[in-house]
Amino acid sequence: MTWLNSGIAGHKVRDLEARRQADVLDARPDVVSILVGVNDMGWHTLDPKGYVIPVEEFGAGYDRLLAPLAEAGTELILIEPFLLPIHGVVEAGAGVALIGEKEREEWRTDLDPKIQAVRKLARKYGAHLLAADGMFAELAAMTGPEYWAADGVHPTPAGHAALAAAWLRLVA
């Protein structure tokens, strides 16, 4: 088995779409697992000149990303983006912005339709869906959200382990 990780921190659907041929299709993978979406929401909070990505644009770009993979018979595993309801204020973007309750509420409002778009695409392409947002909400109810992602979006070691275990259960 050969495992290729072509993820790049901070990338959005449009970035993946631009790299699709070289990073994914040329490798002729049997299975492709994608976790994208949290960077497609809220960047305007970190950068006042940042572009707000509408759910329609997000969904259409994701669809264009998946179509050639599905056409090639690639098994698809879509991991929905997630946002944990942490408490307090955290630094984001290497200290560029402070993210508090208000910003996270805006992020949640922006992210929920994108999660629905991922679910719709999973149905459209017969992909496995790892419902990470719901999974983390359940886990956070037992331990607190910071245990799984201290800033609400980047998993801690425990968060990574939970994602890995859920992924393995999904495909086993």
Side-chain angles (χ1 to χ4, degrees):
M1 175 186 301
T2 301
W3 180 273
L4 301 174
N5 180 352
S6 61
I8 297 176
H11 272 202
K12 302 168 184 69
V13 163
R14 66 180 177 202
D15 300 309
L16 295 181
E17 192 178 0
R19 300 187 291 114
R20 167 186 61 209
Q21 186 67 44
D23 286 4
V24 180
L25 293 173
D26 289 351
R28 294 192 178 118
D30 296 316
V31 179
V32 170
S33 182
I34 302 172
L35 168 55
V36 69
V38 79
N39 289 320
D40 291 275
M41 65 96 210
W43 274 95
H44 58 283
T45 308
L46 303 177
D47 177 4
K49 296 182 238 169
Y51 175 66
V52 176
I53 300 167
V55 67
E56 296 81 12
E57 183 178 320
F58 171 81
Y62 208 147
D63 193 7
R64 288 189 301 270
L65 181 66
L66 296 174
L69 293 165
E71 186 177 305
T74 306
E75 183 178 355
L76 298 170
I77 303 163
L78 307 186
I79 305 169
E80 67 185 25
F82 52 88
L83 178 63
L84 282 81
I86 64 163
H87 304 94
V89 175
V90 296
E91 285 187 4
V96 172
L98 297 176
I99 306 300
E101 300 293 326
K102 179 181 174 267
E103 290 81 10
R104 281 192 293 280
E105 285 177 22
E106 291 174 12
W107 285 8
R108 174 52 70 183
T109 299
D110 189 20
L111 187 61
D112 282 344
K114 291 175 172 116
I115 291 171
Q116 293 304 317
V118 172
R119 291 174 180 174
K120 181 179 176 182
L121 289 166
R123 286 189 301 274
K124 176 179 179 176
Y125 289 105
H128 296 281
L129 176 68
L130 197 164
D133 192 62
M135 176 192 80
F136 279 125
E138 286 181 31
L139 291 170
M142 295 184 288
T143 61
E146 291 83 0
Y147 181 76
W148 306 104
D151 64 358
V153 296
H154 296 96
T156 61
H160 281 291
L163 275 173
W167 192 94
L168 289 169
R169 282 191 305 274
L170 185 67
V171 299

